[in-house]
PDB file of all heavy atoms in Angstrom:
ATOM      1  N   SER B  31     127.430  93.152  58.180  1.00 56.00           N
ATOM      2  CA  SER B  31     128.597  93.227  57.276  1.00 56.00           C
ATOM      3  C   SER B  31     129.449  91.984  57.484  1.00 56.00           C
ATOM      4  O   SER B  31     129.620  91.533  58.614  1.00 56.00           O
ATOM      5  CB  SER B  31     129.423  94.464  57.631  1.00 56.00           C
ATOM      6  OG  SER B  31     129.847  94.325  58.975  1.00 56.00           O
ATOM      7  N   GLY B  53     130.830  77.563  81.024  1.00 90.00           N
ATOM      8  CA  GLY B  53     130.762  76.888  82.311  1.00 90.00           C
ATOM      9  C   GLY B  53     130.727  75.383  82.248  1.00 90.00           C
ATOM     10  O   GLY B  53     130.483  74.734  83.249  1.00 90.00           O
ATOM     11  N   GLY B  60     146.450  78.105  78.974  1.00 57.00           N
ATOM     12  CA  GLY B  60     146.859  79.154  78.024  1.00 57.00           C
ATOM     13  C   GLY B  60     148.313  78.917  77.625  1.00 57.00           C
ATOM     14  O   GLY B  60     149.019  78.100  78.245  1.00 57.00           O
ATOM     15  N   ALA B  79     138.630  64.862  80.530  1.00 86.00           N
ATOM     16  CA  ALA B  79     137.823  65.959  81.090  1.00 86.00           C
ATOM     17  C   ALA B  79     137.022  66.619  79.983  1.00 86.00           C
ATOM     18  O   ALA B  79     135.845  66.935  80.130  1.00 86.00           O
ATOM     19  CB  ALA B  79     138.756  66.966  81.769  1.00 86.00           C
ATOM     20  N   ALA B 106     125.388  72.847  67.431  1.00 95.00           N
ATOM     21  CA  ALA B 106     124.706  73.366  68.639  1.00 95.00           C
ATOM     22  C   ALA B 106     125.521  74.495  69.246  1.00 95.00           C
ATOM     23  O   ALA B 106     124.992  75.489  69.733  1.00 95.00           O
ATOM     24  CB  ALA B 106     124.523  72.245  69.650  1.00 95.00           C
ATOM     25  N   PRO B 120     124.115  84.086  87.045  1.00 51.00           N
ATOM     26  CA  PRO B 120     124.825  85.290  86.636  1.00 51.00           C
ATOM     27  C   PRO B 120     125.487  85.929  87.855  1.00 51.00           C
ATOM     28  O   PRO B 120     125.033  85.758  88.969  1.00 51.00           O
ATOM     29  CB  PRO B 120     123.725  86.185  86.067  1.00 51.00           C
ATOM     30  CG  PRO B 120     122.435  85.592  86.483  1.00 51.00           C
ATOM     31  CD  PRO B 120     122.666  84.176  86.830  1.00 51.00           C
ATOM     32  N   VAL B 121     126.595  86.635  87.632  1.00 53.00           N
ATOM     33  CA  VAL B 121     127.296  87.246  88.774  1.00 53.00           C
ATOM     34  C   VAL B 121     127.113  88.757  88.759  1.00 53.00           C
ATOM     35  O   VAL B 121     126.507  89.315  87.856  1.00 53.00           O
ATOM     36  CB  VAL B 121     128.810  86.920  88.687  1.00 53.00           C
ATOM     37  CG1 VAL B 121     129.017  85.445  88.919  1.00 53.00           C
ATOM     38  CG2 VAL B 121     129.365  87.367  87.342  1.00 53.00           C
TER      39      VAL B 121
END
Side-chain angles (χ1 to χ4, degrees):
Chain B
S31 60
V121 292

